[in-house]
Amino acid sequence: MPREVTLLQASQTSRSRDKHSRSAIWKYFGYETNEHGKPKDTSKPICKSCYRAVLTKGANTSNLAKHLKDRHPDLYKEFREVGNRSHFNITETLTKMAYNAFTRPATKPTHSQPTLPAVFEQQRKYEANSNEATKLNRAVAVYICMDQVPVYTVEKPGFKQLLEHLNNRYALPSRNFFMHTEIPALYNETKEIVMNRLGRKTFYSCTTDLWTSRATSTFMAVTLQFVTETWDIQTLEEMIQEAWKLDMSYMAGITTDNASANKKAFQQDFTWVPCFGHNLHLAINKGLDIDRVSGSLSRLRKTVSAFSRSPKMLRLLKKKQKDLQLPEHRMIHDEPTCWDSAYEMVERFLEQQQAVCSVLADDRKKWHLMPKDSDITVLETVKEVLSPVSSFTDALSGEKHTTLSAVLPLSWKIFSTLTVEEGDSNLKRQLKDNIREDLRQRYENNTHLQLILNTATFLDPRFKDSFVTLREEVKQNLMVSVNLLEAGGQSQQTSSPDDKQQPAKKNKSDLKRLLTSIQGEKKSEHGEGSSSREEGEGAETEFKNEFSVYEKMPEISAEEDPLTWWRTHETTLPHLAQFAKKYLCISASSSASERVFSTSGLICSARRARLTEEHIDMLVFLAQNLKVAKQL
């Protein structure tokens, strides 16, 4: 005898909102209800004839139809007839819609009913090779590369659903299509744009560094900076396994850290510039290596680590911060490779000193982490000494503005800040002396680097009269460069390293120094312009006249853009403008290469373990350069 159950029609449940609940099969099934009239289990509809539960997955009705076919053939036959009539009714409805569109008078022409062919056309997928599909494929590839999302995103149901809602005619290709067809095509097109732009004999500078991926594959990151024809700085970044075939004679300079391998590779044959941030980091470490300072920092790291690793202590710290009305900031742990992280750690601790000490005082087991008074004194001294120079590294890490010409002004400020004063304590004096002397050895005692920096500063109209210290040397090198250009044009730039013209190669390096010296000479040019009026002929005479005119021009405000100034004066000073383009693109910091590593770390994730080195190269390059290529 059948059991007594109360069945709820499928149309009365949330299932009715699904397109599958409109199937005629639900006429023969329902749900068992509870005391509140709600279905007990929507995954087990019950047959209204035999009261058997049939397992279904989601809105799939295959099991329901099979149940009718096996146990209730008459009902299954009826179900098939109802289904056919439903299909006929849908077709009939579409036909009527099309007929009405032609026969019914249109009251609002802008909202006319679609024709039957138009209705079916709206549901038909784009052909794989159609213009619409090609454009959408490229848009998806750009999204993957520019936003650094995994290629398998195209297989995710949420992404597919999004595209279905945006354009239901677009058939999203497979992951392999994007990985092996569309992204390589995008890479080749972007690379061609970049190479065509660099093939116009444009001066550029580089930064470079090495990086090892999770799979222990070693890559070299190379960034190229150059000044465009409209006097804008562009940075092109490439994660490479083999260097691009660039004309090295047009490389104005290369900026790296102070690794011995970099010095050996670039110092002899190229205009090598040590990274300002790295130099400042090494100099600051000389001060932090003082025994009293290193001991206090070591004990502070243990205190910071205790708060970083304990959720309980973090909760207590937040409570104390609220009670003491302090900013709810987390503690900062320093990193060996982060240039100013030690200062940030000290500054944050001193800001939160009351809250930190209050938390430690409440727990006897944590008393050993309490900083001593002598440590507090040392940390306050460290903060006082490093505070004026803490922002200098970031100031020279930009990629969209000139930076090399700002090294001398910033160095002057650093040396001025680190000057020992009468009221300084012994520790403060020692900190200042150690940092200042290390920087002096890296900059003031390096005559070759000083000539490069002076030239760069001279070519910057903001500082040409203020900070140049090697004015005569800059002038002499500039004149040598002009004579070489007049005698051989660009021949000395296009000669290969194997040519017998070794002097030309050396002079090519002199030209870079000369351009750098021009920037510095601008600062100290007042009162010495007469030396540029020596007699000469041709390009040398023209250059002397330009030099004289440029010396007499006043400095511009430090807030103005020197590239904008050169854009305005390029026709008046054509020779100097070319030198400015060459040297104002040199970067003072190698931060651009390290930013490539940050992008690479996102792309070379554990979820992308199957990526080959070639694909990593393409994805990193596109992530960094799609916007730049569009501007070019």
Side-chain angles (χ1 to χ4, degrees), residues 314-601:
L314 280 177
R315 290 195 300 270
L316 294 174
L317 179 62
K318 287 185 178 180
K319 184 178 183 302
K320 294 294 184 181
Q321 289 170 338
K322 290 181 180 180
D323 295 341
L324 297 170
Q325 297 183 348
L326 292 174
E328 295 185 24
H329 294 159
R330 296 174 66 95
M331 303 299 291
I332 297 176
H333 201 295
D334 65 335
E335 296 291 339
T337 59
C338 193
W339 302 324
D340 56 353
S341 60
Y343 167 76
E344 292 176 350
M345 178 179 68
V346 171
E347 182 186 40
R348 180 58 54 82
F349 167 75
L350 293 176
E351 176 194 85
Q352 300 294 331
Q353 179 183 346
Q354 279 186 286
V356 170
C357 292
S358 180
V359 172
L360 297 176
D362 292 342
D363 188 349
R364 187 179 183 87
K365 295 180 180 180
K366 305 295 183 183
W367 283 4
H368 67 284
L369 297 174
M370 185 80 72
K372 301 177 182 179
D373 291 342
S374 57
D375 290 333
I376 299 297
T377 301
V378 171
L379 296 177
E380 289 176 343
T381 303
V382 170
K383 178 186 175 183
E384 188 176 354
V385 172
L386 298 186
S387 178
V389 300
S390 62
S391 61
F392 287 174
T393 296
D394 291 339
L396 292 184
S397 298
E399 301 174 16
K400 297 300 182 182
H401 54 271
T402 60
T403 55
L404 188 65
S405 59
V407 171
L408 288 183
L410 288 181
S411 299
W412 175 84
K413 179 62 177 178
I414 291 174
F415 287 125
S416 175
T417 301
L418 297 176
T419 302
V420 175
E421 299 178 357
E422 185 176 351
D424 290 344
S425 64
N426 290 334
L427 177 61
K428 194 172 183 179
R429 289 170 179 266
Q430 192 175 1
L431 270 170
K432 288 183 175 181
D433 288 341
N434 286 11
I435 299 173
R436 186 179 64 253
E437 289 306 314
D438 188 81
L439 278 177
R440 194 183 304 280
Q441 291 179 7
R442 297 179 185 278
Y443 284 101
E444 292 189 358
N445 295 340
N446 187 334
T447 55
H448 173 69
L449 178 60
Q450 277 294 309
L451 186 58
I452 295 173
L453 296 177
N454 272 264
T455 306
T457 310
F458 176 75
L459 287 173
D460 192 326
R462 299 172 298 176
F463 311 125
K464 69 186 187 71
D465 298 327
S466 307
F467 295 98
V468 176
T469 57
L470 302 177
R471 184 171 178 273
E472 290 301 324
E473 289 84 347
V474 170
K475 282 187 176 182
Q476 293 173 8
N477 280 302
L478 284 174
M479 294 308 303
V480 170
S481 299
V482 172
N483 291 332
L484 287 173
L485 289 174
E486 183 181 13
Q490 293 290 343
S491 60
Q492 99 279 4
Q493 294 179 351
T494 57
S495 59
S496 65
D498 296 331
D499 289 345
K500 296 181 180 180
Q501 298 177 354
Q502 290 297 332
K505 180 178 179 181
K506 186 173 181 180
N507 287 328
K508 188 171 54 182
S509 199
D510 289 339
L511 173 59
K512 299 174 184 178
R513 297 194 202 101
L514 293 174
L515 295 176
T516 307
S517 301
I518 292 175
Q519 294 176 340
E521 207 168 18
K522 278 192 172 184
K523 294 182 179 179
S524 61
E525 214 168 30
H526 285 299
E528 299 184 15
S530 58
S531 61
S532 63
R533 294 195 177 101
E534 297 176 1
E535 294 182 0
E537 297 179 357
E540 181 178 353
T541 302
E542 294 177 2
F543 178 77
K544 289 179 180 179
N545 293 334
E546 285 185 29
F547 200 93
S548 178
V549 171
Y550 181 62
E551 281 186 317
K552 294 177 181 179
M553 291 181 173
E555 284 186 340
I556 63 176
S557 170
E559 297 179 356
E560 296 186 44
D561 184 4
L563 297 182
T564 302
W565 188 93
W566 276 109
R567 184 191 306 143
T568 304
H569 295 82
E570 182 176 13
T571 55
T572 306
L573 308 168
H575 292 87
L576 284 175
Q578 290 303 310
F579 289 148
K581 269 189 177 179
K582 181 177 180 181
Y583 284 94
L584 291 183
C585 72
I586 301 178
S587 177
S589 170
S590 60
S591 298
S593 296
E594 298 190 10
R595 291 190 182 99
V596 178
F597 298 155
S598 299
T599 301
S600 307

Side-chain angles (χ1 to χ4, degrees), residues 29-44:
F29 292 87
Y31 298 117
E32 185 176 359
T33 60
N34 56 22
E35 61 274 13
H36 302 292
K38 300 292 182 64
K40 289 183 178 181
D41 189 352
T42 57
S43 65
K44 294 181 180 180

Side-chain angles (χ1 to χ4, degrees), residues 205-209 221-225 234-239 255 275 339 396-400 587-600 620 624:
S205 69
C206 295
T207 72
T208 185
D209 210 339
V222 177
T223 70
L224 276 69
Q225 294 85 24
Q234 291 290 359
T235 301
L236 303 175
E237 298 164 346
E238 163 77 331
M239 195 72 171
T255 306
C275 173
W339 302 324
L396 292 184
S397 298
E399 301 174 16
K400 297 300 182 182
S587 177
S589 170
S590 60
S591 298
S593 296
E594 298 190 10
R595 291 190 182 99
V596 178
F597 298 155
S598 299
T599 301
S600 307
V620 174
Q624 299 285 359

Side-chain angles (χ1 to χ4, degrees), residues 25 28-29 64-73 75-76:
I25 196 72
Y28 309 98
F29 292 87
L64 304 182
K66 186 175 183 301
H67 175 82
L68 290 183
K69 183 178 181 181
D70 294 342
R71 295 184 178 272
H72 311 289
L75 296 180
Y76 180 72

Side-chain angles (χ1 to χ4, degrees), residues 69-288:
K69 183 178 181 181
D70 294 342
R71 295 184 178 272
H72 311 289
D74 295 339
L75 296 180
Y76 180 72
K77 182 179 179 180
E78 178 185 338
F79 157 66
R80 293 301 298 262
E81 292 176 354
V82 172
N84 290 335
R85 286 199 301 270
S86 299
H87 176 74
F88 175 78
N89 290 338
I90 293 174
T91 305
E92 184 180 24
T93 301
L94 290 174
T95 305
K96 287 182 179 180
M97 289 173 58
Y99 176 77
N100 291 336
F102 284 106
T103 59
R104 184 185 306 162
T107 55
K108 296 182 179 180
T110 57
H111 299 285
S112 60
Q113 293 291 342
T115 63
L116 181 60
V119 171
F120 284 104
E121 181 67 19
Q122 291 174 359
Q123 303 301 320
R124 188 169 63 87
K125 296 293 185 181
Y126 294 132
E127 295 292 336
N129 297 327
S130 66
N131 291 334
E132 294 82 359
T134 301
K135 291 179 181 178
L136 291 171
N137 290 340
R138 176 53 55 89
V140 173
V142 170
Y143 160 70
I144 291 172
C145 298
M146 188 173 291
D147 289 355
Q148 304 164 30
V149 299
V151 182
Y152 63 73
T153 298
V154 300
E155 298 177 350
K156 294 295 184 179
F159 185 72
K160 290 182 177 180
Q161 184 182 37
L162 172 65
L163 294 186
E164 179 72 18
H165 282 295
L166 294 177
N167 191 335
N168 62 355
R169 298 191 60 190
Y170 175 50
L172 183 64
S174 66
R175 169 183 180 175
N176 287 334
F177 170 81
F178 285 102
M179 195 70 262
H180 301 293
T181 303
E182 191 65 27
I183 290 178
L186 178 60
Y187 172 79
N188 291 331
E189 292 175 16
T190 306
K191 183 176 180 179
E192 184 178 1
I193 293 173
V194 173
M195 295 306 297
N196 288 339
R197 181 61 183 83
L198 292 175
R200 302 177 190 172
K201 305 302 181 183
T202 303
F203 288 115
Y204 61 89
S205 69
C206 295
T207 72
T208 185
D209 210 339
L210 296 176
W211 178 74
T212 303
S213 70
R214 291 173 177 265
T216 66
S217 299
T218 302
F219 295 90
M220 175 178 285
V222 177
T223 70
L224 276 69
Q225 294 85 24
F226 62 95
V227 179
T228 66
E229 295 174 355
T230 56
W231 290 90
D232 297 312
I233 282 190
Q234 291 290 359
T235 301
L236 303 175
E237 298 164 346
E238 163 77 331
M239 195 72 171
I240 60 175
Q241 297 164 303
E242 296 179 359
W244 281 17
K245 296 180 181 180
L246 298 174
D247 189 347
M248 301 300 287
S249 65
Y250 281 87
M251 186 171 72
I254 184 166
T255 306
T256 71
D257 58 27
N258 287 315
S260 57
N262 288 332
K263 289 184 178 181
K264 291 180 181 179
F266 305 118
Q267 196 169 20
Q268 295 298 324
D269 298 327
F270 303 101
T271 301
W272 175 71
V273 178
C275 173
F276 177 83
H278 192 248
N279 278 345
L280 184 59
H281 168 66
L282 295 175
I284 289 176
N285 280 347
K286 286 293 184 179
L288 301 182

